[in-house]
Amino acid sequence: MSEIPGRKFALLPMLGHTKGKRSPVTCALKCDNACAGDVCNTSSNSYFRDIASTTLSRRAALGFGAAGALAVVLGSALNSSETAVADAGTGLSPAATTGYGAGASKLQFTAIPSIGADVDAVTVPAGFTWQPVIRWGDPIFNDAPAFDLANQTAAAQERQFGYNNDYSDILEIPGSKGRRAVLFANHEYTNENIMFPATMPAAEMRAIGAAAHGLSVVELERTNKSTPWSYVKGARLNRRYLNSTRYELTGPVAGSALVKTTADPAGRWINGTLGNCSGGTTPWGTILSGEENFNGYFVAPGTSASDKRYGLTNKPTARQWELDDRRFNANNPGYENETNRFGWIVEVDPFDPASTPKKHSSLGRFKHEGANVIVAKSGNVVAYMGDDERFDYLYKFVSKAKYVEGDRKHNMTLLSEGDLYVAKFSGDAPAAEIDGTGTVPADGSFDGKGEWLPLVVGGKSMVAGMTVEEVLVYTRLAADKVGPTKMDRCEDVQPSLHSGKVYVACTNNSDRGKPGKEGATEVNPRNENRDGHIVEITETGDQTSRKFTWNLLMVCGDPAQGDVTYFSGFPAGQVSPISCPDNLAFDSVGNLWISTDGAPSGIGRADGLFKVTVDGAERGRVEQFLAMPRDAETCGPIVHDDEGHVFVSVQHPGEEGTFAAPRSYFPDYVPAGATPKPGQVRAPRPSVIQVFRIAA
Ligand code: FEO
Ligand code: CA
Ligand code: CA
């Protein structure tokens, strides 16, 4: 196959398709212009308005002490170090009954002011500073060359930290007394326009770009708990997961005809992972990562119901990997099913560099943002998952087998078999009170009831006319048939290990209420939802329940700009403005932390990380902790408040610039004309950064 004449790189001609939220570059490269195309969900399923545990502490289970030291996990010591902590009387973890809420946090800070979208700096609270943990191009292995922006190669990139890190987590290495940890980061996509000089041959760009995708695991070290982390080049656990890395497909779809290809006639072994967005860390110390906008990497016939539902089209892809590898064109004989091998939840063991990563078919196939696991009172584990597309759905998985404290080998099988559900919400306000502006109904809250509609239960399909394999491969089509609620782009879905409540970040939906599209509902109460909202779910009974109640924690925006907002009754004049919630995390005392993606084109402010009090008198209080450099999105928050450390992934800094004319110099900030220090460059580099107190 040859390159398309006159088409050096497909990116720039595609720009300009953006609709409101994101920069054109993000739309083209990250989401394959998902918002520019038609809405994938054209199903006419239920119109919301017409229908009238014991929570195992994950921190504890991982080995965090009650005071909340870094996760102490695993390796060969796993079996003894998993300490499941629960209070059978209250159903809450011990920390929840002692010092819950904002005032109890050991990370006290004064909120930063809202920062303009064009500021090319990381802004942190007074008394704090920041520095990178690891940057794009940092050499991970002993044989890896130093990053050389002017002379990049695919071979070097395969041995260096990848691009556009999104989900991240840091788990302490057992026995290291807090001085050694392992960092996981995934690499969602690449920004070729700012990574490579325009003179670089396209084939080289493709090869390096491909090597900058995937996942990374790298060891960290520090002198003591109050000093910042550094990554360790050549450490034993360091690993890059590349397009050639082999993943084992688990669950009912393994071996199915729906996933067989010429290269994998068994339908069990998949090379690579794509579009990794958010993720989650399991109670047994593995990492989950969501394959999200995988469709953007494939040429496909684009004519079948499933191709249309998943946004697969018969046009050259932005990166044109199809020129180098036949499997990226599903029109090629033998590769018709290749697209079915992506769109899964991936599980990796960061403590075993020789382990085979998995893709879990039991958790369904869609544009997975991520997955977050909690152990239910029954012992089953429950994973909550969002499908990040306008008008798509919220899901949960309930494992068949039960969590066994201390048996990591067993626990690592829990996501391979179980039941899959999709959420249906109903509100209690009269339809006339949901007017599409976000104005709170007369009863004082957006709230109501909900149910988890079964898709697969007990190994059987609950969807008429579809087999279990079909339900799990074409999960969107299956869900359409059972009438779930169309949501405003569910991003992270995170259960609180303090309360068991589940938080859903609905980032935005530019199309809600537009002609021919579903209008506002109580759970998605704003038309042309620019700023997003957070849903709070309370399961009825334990986490495996099929029924729940819900309310909105907040309806985002900038009150000072006149936006209609709602912060659970907290005075709107006293909150940090917030737009486009994306990733969620909790600190050790149960405060919710929210990172944003898209605020610049919403409220015109830099994306950031925000602490939200969810309980007590200050419920709904939003305090901004940091702001991103120019064009960057905040991802992968990790809050080790007990140590005064906060980490975030800084994704796509300066993405609206070019290689020749950067818009950001994060994180090295080499001054113009200065000679860069070793390892530094005068160009934007996606990085994981750490924020910590300035030493007294
Ligand atoms: Fe990759 Fe849903 O954000
Ligand atoms: Ca209500
Ligand atoms: Ca995301």
Side-chain angles (χ1 to χ4, degrees):
M1 190 183 294
S2 60
E3 294 183 14
I4 297 171
R7 192 161 182 171
K8 187 174 180 65
F9 201 74
L11 307 181
L12 298 177
M14 299 173 62
L15 303 185
H17 285 224
T18 187
K19 270 193 171 180
K21 282 320 306 166
R22 283 180 154 154
S23 87
V25 179
T26 313
C27 290
L29 298 184
K30 181 174 190 156
C31 311
D32 195 29
N33 287 309
C35 295
D38 291 337
V39 166
C40 290
N41 188 357
T42 56
S43 68
S44 56
N45 84 57
S46 68
Y47 198 101
F48 173 101
R49 194 183 282 160
D50 299 336
I51 314 158
S53 81
T54 295
T55 50
L56 255 176
S57 162
R58 182 185 306 147
R59 290 172 67 85
L62 282 169
F64 284 81
L70 272 178
V72 176
V73 203
L74 320 175
S76 55
L78 289 179
N79 293 347
S80 59
S81 64
E82 285 189 8
T83 310
V85 178
D87 180 329
T90 63
L92 299 177
S93 61
T97 57
T98 57
Y100 178 25
S105 173
K106 291 184 180 135
L107 190 78
Q108 299 293 325
F109 66 94
T110 301
I112 63 166
S114 191
I115 301 295
D118 213 34
V119 175
D120 186 31
V122 178
T123 306
V124 298
F128 287 79
T129 188
W130 69 275
Q131 69 184 49
V133 177
I134 192 166
R135 307 159 294 186
W136 167 48
D138 276 335
I140 288 179
F141 303 98
N142 283 330
D143 63 357
F147 186 48
D148 184 349
L149 188 65
N151 299 288
Q152 299 177 73
T153 67
Q157 177 64 78
E158 288 184 357
R159 312 294 281 168
Q160 297 167 335
F161 194 65
Y163 204 79
N164 273 345
N165 37 279
D166 194 311
Y167 182 72
S168 54
D169 205 357
I170 294 172
L171 306 174
E172 188 176 313
I173 295 174
S176 69
K177 297 183 178 166
R179 292 197 287 264
R180 201 92 175 191
V182 64
L183 165 74
F184 170 91
N186 59 22
H187 304 291
E188 185 178 14
Y189 73 109
T190 42
N191 287 92
E192 283 78 356
N193 54 310
I194 56 174
M195 294 170 73
F196 308 122
T199 51
M200 182 181 278
E204 239 176 283
M205 279 192 205
R206 294 196 299 270
I208 302 168
H213 281 67
L215 318 171
S216 292
V217 171
V218 60
E219 284 189 41
L220 308 181
E221 67 178 1
R222 61 182 175 182
T223 311
N224 59 57
K225 288 186 179 180
S226 61
T227 54
W229 291 101
S230 303
Y231 86 92
V232 184
K233 183 180 172 185
R236 188 180 72 84
L237 300 180
N238 292 4
R239 185 174 182 184
R240 282 297 322 277
Y241 296 71
L242 302 166
N243 282 350
S244 56
T245 302
R246 194 165 84 148
Y247 292 72
E248 180 185 3
L249 183 63
T250 79
V253 180
S256 160
L258 297 175
V259 290
K260 290 180 178 174
T261 67
T262 292
D264 176 27
R268 293 178 180 276
W269 304 101
I270 300 168
N271 284 347
T273 182
L274 294 171
N276 279 270
C277 196
S278 193
T281 300
T282 66
W284 47 95
T286 58
I287 303 282
L288 307 179
S289 185
E291 295 188 315
E292 192 189 39
N293 295 300
F294 66 92
N295 57 306
Y297 293 84
F298 290 96
V299 181
T303 50
S304 67
S306 64
D307 276 6
K308 289 178 179 171
R309 193 66 179 79
Y310 285 83
L312 290 154
T313 62
N314 196 10
K315 63 176 174 60
T317 66
R319 294 178 185 77
Q320 297 192 353
W321 291 356
E322 64 272 20
L323 300 179
D324 305 314
D325 188 339
R326 291 175 59 78
R327 70 183 173 123
F328 291 112
N329 187 336
N331 294 297
N332 286 331
Y335 292 97
E336 294 86 348
N337 293 327
E338 188 69 20
T339 56
N340 292 342
R341 295 152 63 85
F342 295 84
W344 302 106
I345 288 291
V346 166
E347 181 176 15
V348 307
D349 182 356
F351 291 91
D352 182 358
S355 58
T356 300
K358 293 173 181 168
K359 295 193 181 189
H360 291 302
S361 69
S362 289
L363 278 65
R365 175 175 164 267
F366 42 91
K367 292 189 184 179
H368 276 287
E369 172 71 14
N372 284 286
V373 172
I374 187 168
V375 182
K377 197 174 212 169
S378 61
N380 305 86
V381 302
V382 177
Y384 292 92
M385 305 174 285
D387 185 347
D388 179 9
E389 183 121 32
R390 293 164 298 164
F391 301 110
D392 257 293
Y393 309 130
L394 172 70
Y395 296 84
K396 89 168 175 184
F397 165 86
V398 180
S399 69
K400 178 183 180 187
K402 296 184 178 181
Y403 178 86
V404 177
E405 184 184 330
D407 189 348
R408 188 167 190 249
K409 188 175 175 192
H410 163 79
N411 294 334
M412 285 176 67
T413 68
L414 291 175
L415 301 182
S416 299
E417 191 175 4
D419 302 338
L420 187 64
Y421 301 89
V422 62
K424 179 176 181 174
F425 295 79
S426 60
D428 63 8
E433 291 183 16
I434 306 299
D435 64 3
T437 66
T439 301
V440 183
D443 70 356
S445 61
F446 299 100
D447 59 356
K449 296 180 178 174
E451 57 182 311
W452 293 104
L453 307 173
L455 297 172
V456 173
V457 173
K460 294 192 172 63
S461 168
M462 297 289 113
V463 182
M466 295 180 80
T467 65
V468 168
E469 293 165 22
E470 288 168 342
V471 169
L472 295 175
V473 172
Y474 306 120
T475 306
R476 284 182 164 186
L477 292 169
D480 290 343
K481 291 188 170 196
V482 303
T485 298
K486 295 176 176 177
M487 304 297 289
D488 286 353
R489 295 188 49 201
C490 296
E491 300 257 21
D492 253 0
V493 187
Q494 187 101 18
S496 165
L497 300 181
H498 287 261
S499 65
K501 292 181 192 292
V502 181
Y503 294 82
V504 185
C506 293
T507 195
N508 59 65
N509 183 349
S510 52
D511 274 23
R512 185 167 291 280
K514 285 196 173 168
K517 310 280 168 53
E518 183 178 276
T521 65
E522 193 163 348
V523 74
N524 296 285
R526 211 156 38 186
N527 286 330
E528 297 188 33
N529 183 7
R530 189 193 68 178
D531 296 312
H533 55 277
I534 303 282
V535 186
E536 183 182 60
I537 290 173
T538 304
E539 298 275 24
T540 304
D542 94 344
Q543 229 71 38
T544 62
S545 172
R546 293 204 189 177
K547 296 199 181 304
F548 59 86
T549 57
W550 65 270
N551 58 270
L552 298 192
L553 173 68
M554 68 170 75
V555 176
C556 303
D558 183 0
Q561 294 185 31
D563 296 338
V564 175
T565 56
Y566 170 73
F567 297 97
S568 287
F570 194 81
Q574 296 177 33
V575 301
S576 299
I578 181 171
S579 177
C580 303
D582 189 339
N583 300 140
L584 305 177
F586 290 94
D587 63 24
S588 68
V589 293
N591 297 304
L592 178 65
W593 290 65
I594 302 175
S595 63
T596 68
D597 168 22
S601 16
I603 56 176
R605 318 300 292 176
D607 274 315
L609 178 67
F610 302 78
K611 182 181 104 173
V612 184
T613 306
V614 296
D615 193 49
E618 297 204 325
R619 174 179 160 85
R621 181 179 182 186
V622 182
E623 299 166 273
Q624 185 165 3
F625 181 77
L626 61 75
M628 286 288 95
R630 191 180 288 146
D631 301 344
E633 157 188 354
T634 337
C635 300
I638 307 167
V639 184
H640 292 160
D641 52 302
D642 46 295
E643 295 181 347
H645 287 186
V646 175
F647 308 78
V648 289
S649 269
V650 180
Q651 201 190 55
H652 58 76
E655 70 169 350
E656 294 185 63
T658 63
F659 186 86
R663 274 178 50 83
S664 173
Y665 297 99
F666 167 88
D668 297 337
Y669 292 110
V670 176
T675 303
K677 292 178 185 164
Q680 295 193 335
V681 298
R682 186 169 153 75
R685 304 169 78 178
S687 305
V688 177
I689 65 167
Q690 54 196 325
V691 183
F692 51 97
R693 286 187 192 285
I694 297 169

